[in-house]
Amino acid sequence: MALRCCLNLIFVFHVLMLCPIPLCSSPIPEELSQIPLNFLQYAKSPEVFDWMVDIRRKIHENPELGFEEFETSKLIRAELDRLGISYEYPVAITGVVGFIGTGNPPFVAIRADMDALALQEGVVWEHQSKVPGKMHACGHDAHVAMLLGAAKILVEHRHLIQGTVVLVFQPAEEGGGGAKKMLETGVLNNVDAIFGAHVSPKYPFGMVISRPGPILAASGFFEAVISGKGGHAALPHHTFDPILAASNIIISLQQLISRETDPLDSQVVTVAKFQGGDAFNVIPDSVTIGGTFRAFSKESFIQLKHRIVEVITKQANVQRCNATVEFNEDQKPFFPVTLNDQDLYEHFRAVAGDMLGSKNVLDMQPLMGAEDFAFYCEAFPGFFYFVGMKNETVGKFEPGHSPYYIVNEDVIPYGAALQASIATRYLLEYSPKSTSTKGYSHDEL
């Protein structure tokens, strides 16, 4: 009898040792601070690191443009299947949304974009793009690898997840507004907060950078056709010269910033396209110009859009021409301001500081670049940050959208561990008043 009791106690002890005990609802600070370090150590293990790098290189070799990421999506789904993670597909054509945890609130999302750019890769290496005219020149291949790495970390530490982590693999960030279409499907309706990471060639490896409030600008594109009356270049008085009209329009558009904009309210208007005429001695009938405009507030953005139309049409009339202005929002939707939530900023600083040291968590100035992550920030609290990867010993780091763009693959485990840590700690530390439907649970879980 005593032997049987002893054996039973040994069995119970063995089972308890094999089954990780979840943290209590109010974990102590020491337990929380260890999570990022443990996750990073796991992500840097040779097996996990090599797996993530292999995924990144496969995606890099086979780049796909916005809403065409079918093979990338297939690869993601295959890896999620291997990890035993439930997901929804298709979402916004090629998107994938995975779920890890209890299936109950709160829901915290972490996001990666999947699309490539229409560029011919200029970097010659073993895994360069195999698709002519297409290249991952903004690090989205690394973002996907990092999010799959975060998924692997979360599965390995599933017992820590008190709620549900939503994995958002998003198509068409590069101008296509994939985030907007993901939201329109309703699959993210129950999300309480979302975090997005972007590798950066500007900042040193081992640092992360962000800020509260506006971090990236609202942006839109415009195209205008200025129509006049063509003729011989030797007889300009017989023409209504659209090239002259377009030239005056471009100068006047710059005055929207220099003379109508508060210097403390950052705005940009850039004309980057000018097409007209194909002979040295013929004034054409029409000219097409196009560009982008950006601002850090919704009001400034709307006003800038209104004045662009006024300046183009009225300056064209001064030169006896007509003009039509299109914004092509169906193909290139306007991006709102990317606005980082203050509470999520504090959460990010705490988690990143525990992983990297507070001296390596930096604040930045807002950038006039744009990100469709902004659509998520309009729908629910969001936070976007950059992970530094610059290391001159690895190579020369060109800015995003350069055909010579490279990724320092050492950054991948840091991005993966940080995304996983931010999500896990959010669920452990926060009990936000969920915007989720009461009693909601995800059926697939």
Side-chain angles (χ1 to χ4, degrees):
M1 184 69 176
L3 178 61
R4 183 181 301 172
C5 290
C6 182
L7 289 173
N8 286 340
L9 285 172
I10 293 171
F11 174 76
V12 170
F13 178 76
H14 182 68
V15 169
L16 289 174
M17 289 298 290
L18 287 176
C19 299
I21 300 172
L23 290 174
C24 62
S25 58
S26 300
I28 61 175
E30 290 77 8
E31 291 174 327
L32 291 174
S33 65
Q34 283 300 310
I35 289 173
L37 295 172
N38 292 341
F39 283 9
L40 180 59
Q41 183 180 15
Y42 178 79
K44 291 170 73 173
S45 65
E47 178 186 355
V48 178
F49 176 76
D50 291 344
W51 173 74
M52 290 188 292
V53 168
D54 183 61
I55 288 171
R56 183 255 161 173
R57 291 177 176 180
K58 286 178 181 176
I59 296 171
H60 190 87
E61 290 178 1
N62 299 281
E64 298 170 300
L65 303 182
F67 298 119
E68 299 175 1
E69 309 96 331
F70 294 102
E71 291 302 313
T72 304
S73 179
K74 183 179 178 181
L75 181 153
I76 291 166
R77 286 178 280 124
E79 295 299 337
L80 293 179
D81 286 336
R82 292 188 185 98
L83 292 169
I85 296 173
S86 299
Y87 56 84
E88 290 194 16
Y89 172 85
V91 182
I93 304 177
T94 55
V96 183
V97 177
F99 305 90
I100 306 174
T102 66
N104 295 313
F107 293 84
V108 61
I110 45 180
R111 171 264 204 172
D113 35 17
M114 307 188 297
D115 55 324
L117 288 157
L119 286 175
Q120 180 65 41
E121 182 163 12
V123 182
V124 178
W125 67 304
E126 184 182 356
H127 300 283
Q128 69 187 93
S129 171
K130 296 178 180 178
V131 185
K134 298 178 184 179
M135 176 194 175
H136 273 286
C138 199
H140 296 189
D141 49 349
H143 300 166
V144 173
M146 284 157 47
L147 188 53
L148 284 171
K152 190 175 183 69
I153 295 168
L154 291 167
V155 167
E156 184 69 19
H157 300 84
R158 192 190 294 267
H159 59 285
L160 294 175
I161 302 173
Q162 296 187 7
T164 306
V165 180
V166 183
L167 310 170
V168 180
F169 295 92
Q170 178 210 305
E173 187 278 326
E174 297 289 354
K180 184 172 185 287
K181 294 189 182 297
M182 294 284 282
L183 288 166
E184 288 169 353
T185 68
V187 72
L188 303 177
N189 282 354
N190 296 282
V191 167
D192 295 295
I194 188 168
F195 294 87
H198 201 300
V199 294
S200 172
K202 180 180 178 181
Y203 298 100
F205 173 72
M207 291 184 175
V208 290
I209 310 94
S210 192
R211 73 185 306 273
I215 184 172
L216 295 164
S219 75
F221 298 94
F222 66 91
E223 185 173 78
V225 178
I226 298 96
S227 301
K229 177 184 174 184
H232 200 288
L235 304 169
H237 55 293
H238 291 165
T239 70
F240 303 151
D241 189 348
I243 288 182
L244 179 61
S247 300
N248 285 327
I249 286 168
I250 293 170
I251 298 299
S252 297
L253 287 174
Q254 299 311 303
Q255 292 171 357
L256 294 179
I257 307 302
S258 66
R259 286 298 175 266
E260 296 187 19
T261 299
D262 184 338
L264 300 179
D265 180 15
S266 299
Q267 297 179 33
V268 165
V269 177
T270 296
V271 176
K273 175 182 179 180
F274 194 122
Q275 297 174 340
D278 42 32
F280 291 109
N281 61 346
V282 178
I283 294 171
D285 287 322
S286 67
V287 166
T288 300
I289 64 171
T292 184
F293 61 107
R294 299 170 184 232
F296 270 110
S297 75
K298 186 175 182 178
E299 296 73 22
S300 296
F301 186 77
I302 292 171
Q303 173 65 10
L304 198 53
K305 176 182 180 236
H306 172 72
R307 288 292 288 139
I308 286 170
V309 175
E310 279 191 338
V311 166
I312 291 175
T313 55
K314 292 181 178 180
Q315 276 291 344
N317 290 339
V318 169
Q319 302 298 328
R320 301 178 297 172
C321 294
N322 296 310
T324 58
V325 184
E326 299 289 341
F327 292 96
N328 300 317
E329 291 183 65
D330 291 339
Q331 289 77 37
K332 294 185 178 296
F334 293 162
F335 287 7
V337 178
T338 304
L339 195 65
N340 275 346
D341 180 84
Q342 178 69 43
D343 290 338
L344 299 186
Y345 165 75
E346 299 296 340
H347 177 67
F348 161 78
R349 284 195 63 87
V351 176
D354 285 340
M355 178 182 290
L356 304 170
S358 57
K359 68 180 184 300
N360 291 316
V361 184
L362 307 181
D363 282 357
M364 59 181 283
Q365 292 297 313
L367 297 175
M368 295 307 297
E371 241 283 354
D372 80 348
F373 189 84
F375 288 109
Y376 301 123
C377 297
E378 281 195 327
F380 32 73
F383 191 82
F384 192 77
Y385 64 95
F386 295 91
V387 184
M389 64 174 182
K390 185 177 182 180
N391 181 350
E392 299 295 351
T393 64
V394 175
K396 184 179 180 182
F397 286 82
E398 299 290 345
H401 297 205
S402 164
Y404 299 100
Y405 181 91
I406 63 171
V407 166
N408 176 5
E409 293 176 332
D410 289 339
V411 79
I412 294 175
Y414 286 83
L418 194 50
Q419 284 286 71
S421 300
I422 287 171
T424 301
R425 287 261 297 257
Y426 179 90
L427 296 177
L428 286 169
E429 296 179 62
Y430 285 76
S431 296
K433 292 181 179 178
S434 177
T435 56
S436 310
T437 305
K438 295 298 182 184
Y440 175 90
S441 65
H442 198 278
D443 291 341
E444 292 179 348
L445 295 175

